[in-house]
Amino acid sequence: MLELAREADWDAINEIAVQVHDLHVSWRPDLYRRTDTPYPKDYFLECIQNKNLFVAKLSGMVVGIVRYEIWETGGPGNTSRKVMRLDNIAVHEALRNRGIRKSMIADIRALAKVHGCQEIILSVYPQNDVALAFYQKCGFAIRTIGMDMKL
């Protein structure tokens, strides 16, 4: 289902990214502000060049997006491992709850294995209970809880 994003996909990717970004703005207005271009053209082109932005298509139309990074971690007190961090995964709001995201996760798992990753990580806002339940159903588990303190 997933394929590398192309320049022609920018408008559709941006539309989906705005939908997700607007949720983030509503949950954390202290961190996010409304924008019509969560994927500015230069950033988008960089992602294409880095080959870490994928789209899900149905009948030739972009219906979902995934952006990831690969990290290699390790050190004196940690085991060495390769991790895929999902920075962005989203399905167009009009097409949610149709199994698209589940198919995307299957492709992401396969892609992570191709890259030699031992795990996939992502972050979810606690207000996003639908996504949290979905990721847990897919096999993700809560390993850490991020916290912050406003000053």
Side-chain angles (χ1 to χ4, degrees):
M1 168 165 264
L2 291 179
E3 59 185 67
L4 282 168
R6 299 174 307 163
E7 284 191 51
D9 299 327
W10 183 64
D11 288 330
I13 289 170
N14 203 56
E15 180 181 350
I16 295 168
V18 166
Q19 293 169 0
V20 173
H21 189 77
D22 285 350
L23 289 173
H24 292 165
V25 171
S26 71
W27 294 327
R28 291 295 307 263
D30 57 319
L31 295 180
Y32 300 99
R33 66 175 178 251
R34 177 75 175 90
T35 180
D36 291 326
T37 53
Y39 275 84
K41 195 70 169 198
D42 57 339
Y43 176 72
F44 170 75
L45 293 173
E46 182 181 318
C47 291
I48 287 178
Q49 183 179 1
N50 292 338
K51 297 183 179 182
N52 65 347
L53 179 62
F54 284 73
V55 294
K57 290 187 176 180
L58 289 177
S59 302
M61 303 291 294
V62 173
V63 297
I65 58 175
V66 174
R67 197 186 84 70
Y68 70 88
E69 295 179 2
I70 303 291
W71 295 347
E72 293 197 38
T73 65
N78 301 87
T79 59
S80 295
R81 62 194 176 135
K82 205 170 188 182
V83 176
M84 175 182 278
R85 181 187 184 287
L86 298 182
D87 181 57
N88 196 341
I89 177 169
V91 172
H92 192 286
E93 62 189 3
L95 298 169
R96 292 182 187 152
N97 301 314
R98 297 185 186 190
I100 296 168
R101 194 170 41 166
K102 186 175 181 181
S103 294
M104 291 169 65
I105 291 289
D107 285 359
I108 289 165
R109 286 176 57 98
L111 184 62
K113 288 179 181 181
V114 166
H115 282 290
C117 295
Q118 286 79 35
E119 68 182 322
I120 301 169
I121 62 173
L122 54 78
S123 297
V124 180
Y125 279 108
Q127 301 92 324
N128 197 346
D129 53 350
V130 171
L132 183 60
F134 170 77
Y135 293 130
Q136 288 176 318
K137 187 176 177 182
C138 288
F140 287 86
I142 297 171
R143 300 281 188 232
T144 61
I145 298 174
M147 300 176 73
D148 62 23
M149 176 191 294
K150 294 185 186 359
L151 301 177

